[in-house]
Amino acid sequence: MHPAVFLSLPDLRCSLLLLVTWVFTPVTTEITSLDTENIDEILNNADVALVNFYADWCRFSQMLHPIFEEASDVIKEEFPNENQVVFARVDCDQHSDIAQRYRISKYPTLKLFRNGMMMKREYRGQRSVKALADYIRQQKSNPIQEIRDLAEITTLDRSKRNIIGYFEQKDSDNYRVFERVANILHDDCAFLSAFGDVSKPERYSGDNIIYKPPGHSAPDMVYLGAMTNFDVTYNWIQDKCVPLVREITFENGEELTEEGLPFLILFHMKEDTESLEIFQNEVARQLISEKGTINFLHADCDKFRHPLLHIQKTPADCPVIAIDSFRHMYVFGNFKDVLIPGKLKQFVFDLHSGKLHREFHHGPDPTDIAPGEQAQDVASSPPESSFQKLAPSEYRYTLLRDRDEL
């Protein structure tokens, strides 16, 4: 029999304190540091990964570190499996090649990845533990609404772009590809699905995907590609979900300005869908080849009164077409002139050639003056950019680049 061991009162208190500290100290998860050796493997194996691109000398990065770590701890308790959710970080000073690969232009930048694919929309919300945790919870929620009765199709919100998948069963390669695409594009389209007997009337030729465009006049479109081919399926759905002419709002303005492309904008009253349709058709007809050089947008005249005032217009003048180069704004002539073949295209070409900027400062180009007409020096200054104010703020980020003047 072993003799009893008695602790002195100070030792007993110390032991109890250590035990209580051990029991009540929360378990913290270490943020995964990414480098050129491990980044692809970690991101490719993660269902969802939130990556903080930072620099140690950036004060906003320093402020985010403890918040990011605490949010990781909160989410790890809810999604404990290693690859369900990964919080990671990249030291952009140490790994400038990774920063260039993902086009990091400001610190800190929070980018979301799904199975290694970077999502177009980065996190731009509030930098708090709750906001970050809520964002990840939203990303982990099911983006597809299940249809229990085909009659529900008649009550869809037709102001949205709806993608509907009809499948024989949920446990199938076809549905897994559809689900993966929905996880990526759910911010741009509403995704719905039906299975088994519910979907049977729509599966006369097997599983299929239908696109229902906004409104009630445009016909449905059927996906004809291979259902198990992710790339083909994704490209088809993305083409339907992300329109050529996008609406700019105060919510997505920062994201659009950071794409770095000038804006060609139609200002129109919300109820004026006719002018919007004309603009969309002419952009598709005249400017499809310019898609990578300029953003095609439309804006609500009432909500964007201030930019209109910059070009000496009011909502009463709408519809109005203008270019914002992030330095200056330039107004297209009469809206009806958009129907003149090549007129809108020339307006964009004049931006890229510098002609719009020259003419505002020095008057018409000599080649545009009619024979016998006296050239006049009409110096002026174009209105300053209005949408540049929606760009990432220096009070929230450390910005790394300036745009060239146009």
Side-chain angles (χ1 to χ4, degrees):
M1 185 174 182
H2 296 288
V5 177
F6 296 95
L7 295 175
S8 64
L9 187 59
D11 288 342
L12 181 61
R13 286 173 178 169
C14 183
S15 298
L16 287 174
L17 179 61
L18 288 172
L19 178 63
V20 169
T21 302
W22 177 77
V23 170
F24 290 99
T25 299
V27 177
T28 59
T29 56
E30 187 172 340
I31 304 298
T32 303
S33 294
L34 301 179
D35 55 39
T36 53
E37 300 295 326
N38 67 7
I39 185 168
D40 290 327
E41 180 183 357
I42 290 174
L43 296 184
N44 288 341
N45 290 323
D47 294 340
V48 170
L50 186 63
V51 181
N52 174 18
F53 294 85
Y54 72 96
D56 275 331
W57 49 263
C58 166
R59 65 188 179 97
F60 300 112
S61 295
Q62 294 169 3
M63 292 163 63
L64 179 62
H65 283 323
I67 296 169
F68 195 71
E69 290 170 0
E70 188 176 344
S72 175
D73 294 339
V74 170
I75 289 298
K76 198 64 179 177
E77 291 183 3
E78 299 177 29
F79 302 96
N81 292 347
E82 184 179 1
N83 293 328
Q84 280 185 298
V85 178
V86 171
F87 276 68
R89 60 189 174 193
V90 175
D91 184 334
C92 293
D93 279 343
Q94 296 294 322
H95 304 287
S96 58
D97 54 332
I98 298 179
Q100 291 174 5
R101 174 179 171 182
Y102 294 109
R103 299 182 179 180
I104 303 304
S105 62
K106 62 189 186 309
Y107 301 138
T109 292
L110 296 177
K111 287 190 176 289
L112 186 77
F113 293 78
R114 289 184 179 275
N115 302 113
M117 177 181 284
M118 184 181 73
M119 300 297 97
K120 186 174 182 181
R121 289 187 174 91
E122 64 187 55
Y123 178 78
R124 299 175 187 272
Q126 185 181 0
R127 292 174 189 160
S128 70
V129 173
K130 182 179 184 304
L132 286 171
D134 286 346
Y135 173 70
I136 294 299
R137 293 186 190 106
Q138 181 187 24
Q139 298 302 318
K140 290 295 291 181
S141 63
N142 188 351
I144 305 173
Q145 175 187 337
E146 184 172 343
I147 299 169
R148 306 291 182 178
D149 188 323
L150 290 183
E152 296 175 25
I153 302 296
T154 62
T155 62
L156 290 179
D157 183 352
R158 295 309 297 267
S159 67
K160 296 181 179 179
R161 298 167 183 270
N162 292 282
I163 303 288
I164 308 174
Y166 298 101
F167 304 94
E168 182 178 359
Q169 55 185 3
K170 201 169 193 176
D171 185 15
S172 65
D173 290 338
N174 287 352
Y175 181 70
R176 279 187 279 273
V177 168
F178 183 76
E179 186 177 38
R180 187 178 168 194
V181 173
N183 275 318
I184 296 171
L185 295 174
H186 66 271
D187 287 333
D188 301 295
C189 269
F191 284 83
L192 305 97
S193 62
F195 305 96
D197 291 339
V198 175
S199 66
K200 191 172 183 179
E202 297 291 338
R203 288 189 290 104
Y204 42 84
S205 59
D207 291 357
N208 66 82
I209 300 172
I210 303 292
Y211 166 61
K212 287 185 174 293
H216 296 274
S217 57
D220 294 350
M221 300 180 70
V222 182
Y223 173 61
L224 300 176
M227 298 281 286
T228 55
N229 188 314
F230 169 77
D231 291 333
V232 175
T233 306
Y234 172 78
N235 288 335
W236 186 85
I237 295 179
Q238 183 192 43
D239 182 64
K240 306 298 176 285
C241 291
V242 183
L244 183 60
V245 179
R246 295 175 286 176
E247 181 177 11
I248 185 170
T249 64
F250 290 111
E251 289 71 29
N252 68 4
E254 180 179 283
E255 172 191 331
L256 290 171
T257 56
E258 200 173 9
E259 290 181 12
L261 300 176
F263 291 171
L264 176 67
I265 312 174
L266 168 69
F267 295 93
H268 67 106
M269 302 304 293
K270 187 175 182 179
E271 62 275 8
D272 181 14
T273 57
E274 181 181 355
S275 296
L276 175 57
E277 186 174 351
I278 290 172
F279 182 68
Q280 289 170 329
N281 290 339
E282 292 306 316
V283 166
R285 184 177 292 115
Q286 300 184 40
L287 293 169
I288 190 69
S289 62
E290 296 300 308
K291 186 176 180 181
T293 67
I294 192 166
N295 269 326
F296 310 117
L297 307 170
H298 68 100
D300 186 329
C301 281
D302 277 329
K303 292 182 180 179
F304 286 91
R305 288 171 176 262
H306 188 68
L308 283 172
L309 288 175
H310 267 257
I311 54 176
Q312 299 180 341
K313 302 288 184 182
T314 70
D317 297 309
C318 290
V320 172
I321 296 174
I323 284 176
D324 191 315
S325 72
F326 298 134
R327 291 291 185 183
H328 301 295
M329 293 186 71
Y330 309 97
V331 184
F332 185 73
N334 191 309
F335 174 76
K336 294 179 181 178
D337 289 347
V338 76
L339 295 171
I340 300 175
K343 189 80 172 178
L344 192 61
K345 187 174 186 176
Q346 189 61 53
F347 184 53
V348 173
F349 281 4
D350 288 347
L351 169 75
H352 293 314
S353 69
K355 182 179 178 182
L356 292 180
H357 192 79
R358 289 195 306 272
E359 287 191 342
F360 261 103
H361 283 293
H362 308 295
D365 277 1
T367 55
D368 294 335
I369 300 173
E373 185 178 341
Q374 183 69 32
Q376 295 181 344
D377 185 12
V378 187
S380 64
S381 179
E384 291 185 357
S385 167
S386 184
F387 287 93
Q388 176 65 20
K389 297 179 178 66
L390 297 180
S393 170
E394 61 182 7
Y395 298 106
R396 182 173 165 83
Y397 300 99
T398 300
L399 307 177
L400 302 182
R401 68 184 183 195
D402 294 316
R403 292 186 176 89
D404 294 329
E405 182 174 341
L406 281 177

